[in-house]
Amino acid sequence: MKTTSRFRTAMTMAATVLAMAAPAAAQQIGPDDKPAPGTTAAATRFPAEGLAVLDCAPKAPAPADSCVLRVPPSRERDRISKVETGAAKGDFALKRDLAEIDPALRLAETMVLIDTTPALGLARKPSWPRERSVIAEVLRGLPAGQPVALYGFSESLERLSDFTTDHEALARIVETLELRGSNTRIATSTRDAIDVLAARSSTVLRNLIVISDGQEEGNRTIAEVSLAAAEKGVTISTLGLFWRPVGVVENGSGLDYLQKLSEGTLGTSKGIEMQSRDKGRVAADVAEFLATVNRAADSSGLIVPKGAPVEADITVTLRKPRAGVPGVYDEELITARFTPEALRNPPEVTPAPPAKPPAAAPAPEPWYEREWQGLKLMWWAAGGGLAAVLLIVGLVLGLTRKSAPELDLEADFPLDLPEDLPPAPPPAPNVALPAPRAWLVRTDTGERLAVRKARVSIGRSDSCELVLEDKSISRLHAELEQAGPDSFNLTDAGSLNKTRVNGKIITGAKAIKAGDTLTFGDLSVRFVLA
């Protein structure tokens, strides 16, 4: 026991020293630093597939002239070096505070996703108070100042709190959180959480922490989740809270599932036996998980040029713990080539127009352009032709008058019309819209949406009777049905961001009255009777 205590104390002191040595905002990358001999950097990212540790041609919102460094939790950043590829020299720096680059840009944000399923027969309920305490400590231990959002899940995703830097407020929410739902759909909820993080368009590094017992009850595959995480730049770390007795098969299979969920996304995975009698062990496991996650956050950042950008090979040296040998590390070099945007996308050069060919010799003057008696021959010919035509027409008319018989217009063309013609059809009547039964008045714009049918659908899709354009609203979000002359019921249609009446989430049909505030996702309307 004493040896274990001393080992933990030594590891804590070592972690403290590493944290103090890590740069807080920017690290100068000196011009004299050299990568290891034989290192080449033809690619702009490493690795070539999946989520990149070093990406020198990053997607937005990262600046075009930058390299995104995302250090895995299993590694420690040691040093960064650069070698220019041409004669021009340049400097680079590692930055973590991006305010001086762009005040709207943020380096990292984290979402904590909590499994709230009570398990069959509420078997998880006795362990839930201890689990809540562990989750609250995780929230309190995340990097200070980093925005964190809190979501829960069972059958679907549920937002408990939007992104905030007040981690203590999030811990208080967890301390009163109750178990709910019936089925644990881990992969589906994780995939939906990735979409929520991907919508954070001003964040460079997006992190997701999934807290669950790992007992999947859905059909979505881990491969689909990993592909989405790599495509949208989301790191997934998992924390297994195993509430069943120590040593049961479910705990082992749950740990395997959560480890696979984090693989390939540069995340970490840790399992904690909540039924362990060693209370100190649980606290140590929580501290180890936080240290791993926070070390990766402190080591990551944005490598940017200082002054005019030049093409260079950027090499990051990482320290990897040697398996089975505590305190011994192996070096791992990763390299990518930084090419300034001006060289990656040079301006298009408009080709010069082709030279005009030499002018051809003038053609000889045609006969009809020549003149006689002051007029061109063309007009003399035209006048002669017209006179001949008039002469022929006159002769034809003279002959026709002598031989043509007179016509009896009334006999040959009777004008009497039948008296039994049907009357003309009456004009089509104008079709009027049904009178409104009620109104939904948007609180942000004042727009009035008329409810003209006894049952209407509400959502973002054009097929809904009431269309609300907002990204937080599902394609089919809710339905409104008239139950009586002045009574209506509102039902949520399984939307992602829920439906609320006067601020409270509804789960089934909810009776509403005039003056109630209805909230669909982030958009609110006031219900008014017609």
Side-chain angles (χ1 to χ4, degrees):
M1 294 293 291
K2 291 182 179 180
T3 302
T4 304
S5 177
R6 289 174 183 172
F7 174 73
R8 290 178 180 166
T9 303
M11 290 299 291
T12 303
M13 293 176 63
T16 303
V17 172
L18 286 172
M20 293 174 63
Q27 174 184 328
Q28 178 82 19
I29 301 174
D32 296 330
D33 293 338
K34 301 291 183 182
T39 301
T40 59
T44 59
R45 71 192 305 271
F46 179 89
E49 302 293 336
L51 203 57
V53 177
L54 181 62
D55 189 352
C56 290
K59 298 179 181 179
D65 281 337
S66 69
C67 296
V68 175
L69 175 62
R70 187 192 298 263
V71 177
S74 59
R75 306 288 191 272
E76 295 179 7
R77 191 189 77 233
D78 188 1
R79 59 187 180 276
I80 306 175
S81 59
K82 53 91 180 176
V83 172
E84 295 86 348
T85 60
K89 300 297 181 181
D91 292 329
F92 293 82
L94 176 68
K95 291 187 177 293
R96 302 193 67 253
D97 184 1
L98 307 186
E100 59 187 80
I101 299 176
D102 183 351
L105 203 59
R106 190 178 294 277
L107 179 63
E109 290 183 333
T110 297
M111 176 193 292
V112 176
L113 183 60
I114 305 171
D115 180 355
T116 60
T117 310
L120 188 64
L122 302 179
R124 187 183 174 190
K125 189 173 182 180
S127 174
W128 182 236
R130 292 188 65 195
E131 292 184 59
R132 288 189 303 198
S133 299
V134 168
I135 299 171
E137 287 305 311
V138 170
L139 290 167
R140 293 187 179 102
L142 292 175
Q146 183 181 115
V148 177
L150 191 62
Y151 278 68
F153 75 93
S154 52
E155 293 91 352
S156 59
L157 207 61
E158 177 185 1
R159 183 174 62 185
L160 304 175
S161 173
D162 207 348
F163 287 89
T164 177
T165 56
D166 190 350
H167 300 173
E168 185 61 37
L170 298 177
R172 290 195 297 270
I173 293 175
V174 169
E175 288 170 349
T176 59
L177 182 64
E178 296 297 335
L179 297 173
R180 62 194 72 175
S182 56
N183 295 110
T184 308
R185 302 172 69 200
I186 303 175
T188 296
S189 300
T190 302
R191 179 64 181 82
D192 292 341
I194 290 172
D195 286 338
V196 175
L197 281 167
R200 306 290 292 178
S201 58
S202 298
T203 304
V204 177
L205 303 177
R206 306 176 179 107
N207 304 305
L208 176 62
I209 298 177
V210 180
I211 302 178
S212 173
D213 63 359
Q215 296 303 306
E216 173 66 279
E217 296 175 347
N219 294 324
R220 177 163 278 173
T221 64
I222 291 180
E224 182 181 352
V225 176
S226 300
L227 184 63
E231 178 185 351
K232 301 188 177 183
V234 177
T235 294
I236 303 175
S237 294
T238 56
L239 179 62
L241 299 185
F242 304 121
W243 49 270
R244 294 178 175 86
V246 176
V248 300
V249 173
E250 289 83 356
N251 292 354
S253 62
L255 180 60
D256 287 343
Y257 182 88
L258 295 176
Q259 287 177 343
K260 291 179 182 178
L261 189 63
S262 65
E263 286 177 358
T265 69
L266 304 183
T268 186
S269 183
K270 183 69 177 177
I272 300 178
E273 298 277 4
M274 300 304 300
Q275 298 296 333
S276 174
R277 296 182 179 180
D278 186 355
K279 307 305 180 184
R281 178 64 181 174
V282 173
D285 287 341
V286 173
E288 180 182 345
F289 177 78
L290 283 171
T292 303
V293 171
N294 293 347
R295 181 176 62 243
D298 292 339
S299 298
S300 302
L302 211 60
I303 300 174
V304 296
K306 298 181 64 178
V310 299
E311 187 174 75
D313 288 344
I314 307 296
T315 298
V316 180
T317 303
L318 301 178
R319 285 159 42 93
K320 177 182 178 181
R322 183 176 297 179
V325 187
V328 177
Y329 295 85
D330 294 322
E331 285 191 349
E332 181 180 7
L333 302 182
I334 60 172
T335 306
R337 173 159 293 178
F338 168 79
T339 302
E341 183 185 25
L343 298 181
R344 295 199 307 266
N345 302 301
E348 294 184 0
V349 178
T350 304
K356 295 182 178 179
E365 183 181 20
W367 66 267
Y368 49 81
E369 291 291 337
R370 299 172 188 172
E371 294 187 358
W372 184 69
Q373 297 293 327
L375 291 176
K376 292 184 177 182
L377 294 180
M378 175 181 62
W379 298 115
W380 287 106
L386 179 61
V389 170
L390 292 176
L391 179 61
I392 294 172
V393 171
L395 292 175
V396 171
L397 290 177
L399 295 173
T400 303
R401 284 187 176 182
K402 293 180 179 181
S403 58
E406 294 184 0
L407 295 177
D408 187 350
L409 295 179
E410 290 187 1
D412 293 343
F413 301 100
L415 299 179
D416 293 335
L417 298 176
E419 298 180 356
D420 56 349
L421 289 177
N430 293 328
V431 179
L433 293 173
R437 303 164 183 255
W439 301 88
L440 301 185
V441 183
R442 290 183 57 156
T443 58
D444 54 348
T445 64
E447 179 185 1
R448 296 168 62 89
L449 304 175
V451 179
R452 302 182 183 276
K453 296 167 60 178
R455 183 185 182 91
V456 295
S457 57
I458 303 171
R460 186 162 42 87
S461 173
D462 293 337
S463 62
C464 294
E465 280 85 3
L466 299 183
V467 179
L468 298 176
E469 294 290 346
D470 191 273
K471 63 182 181 181
S472 67
I473 295 177
S474 300
R475 294 179 61 82
L476 174 58
H477 198 102
E479 292 184 342
L480 182 64
E481 183 176 10
Q482 187 171 12
D486 292 326
S487 62
F488 287 78
N489 292 332
L490 181 64
T491 305
D492 183 80
S495 64
L496 174 62
N497 292 320
K498 307 302 180 183
T499 302
R500 294 171 171 82
V501 176
N502 297 327
K504 296 183 178 180
I505 297 176
I506 65 173
T507 56
K510 172 67 175 177
I512 60 174
K513 61 182 183 300
D516 282 349
T517 298
L518 317 180
T519 304
F520 308 100
D522 296 332
L523 190 146
S524 296
V525 300
R526 187 164 52 86
F527 179 69
V528 179
L529 292 175

